[in-house]
Amino acid sequence: MIEQGNASLYKKIHKTIRETRPYNSATTEQTIQTVNKYFIDIAGVFTEIKKPKDLAALLTDKSKEMDAYFSSNKTNSKEDDGWQKAVAYYNSLHSR
């Protein structure tokens, strides 16, 4: 869990190992690929989010404020910090 509140943010780390054998080689090469997936929990329903627009579409009760937040702040969808700040801002709107 990255952020907790009215909307909670979760991160799932998925790693896969790929084995490739180059042409005319006796050995195999292994590479590890890491994929981070982010999920938001709103009222007990988990939904995967990939882009900031996905998050804004889910947070319909404060859509105007979240649209203004995303237009004024560059949210990097590949890092935890960007998602955490956006969800923390949304949760702060509910505590006012």
Side-chain angles (χ1 to χ4, degrees):
M1 179 182 312
I2 298 174
E3 182 69 31
Q4 186 175 9
N6 288 339
S8 298
L9 180 67
Y10 294 87
K11 176 182 176 181
K12 179 181 178 185
I13 301 170
H14 181 72
K15 295 188 180 242
T16 56
I17 298 175
R18 256 180 87 182
E19 291 185 357
T20 57
R21 186 171 159 202
Y23 179 74
N24 211 12
S25 175
T27 60
T28 59
E29 297 176 358
Q30 291 183 342
T31 57
I32 299 174
Q33 182 181 12
T34 303
V35 177
N36 296 327
K37 292 185 178 184
Y38 296 94
F39 295 88
I40 190 154
D41 173 22
I42 302 172
V45 178
F46 285 85
T47 307
E48 182 178 2
I49 49 176
K50 296 180 182 178
K51 297 180 276 185
K53 289 180 183 179
D54 296 343
L55 183 60
L58 291 171
L59 305 175
T60 56
D61 59 331
K62 301 286 183 182
S63 62
K64 291 180 184 177
E65 292 90 344
M66 292 307 294
D67 286 336
Y69 175 84
F70 286 125
S71 65
S72 65
N73 297 311
K74 299 290 183 190
T75 302
N76 187 351
S77 61
K78 300 202 183 276
E79 295 182 13
D80 296 348
D81 192 43
W83 289 116
Q84 183 179 10
K85 287 180 181 177
V87 175
Y89 176 73
Y90 173 76
N91 289 333
S92 72
L93 292 174
H94 279 280
S95 63
R96 292 182 187 172

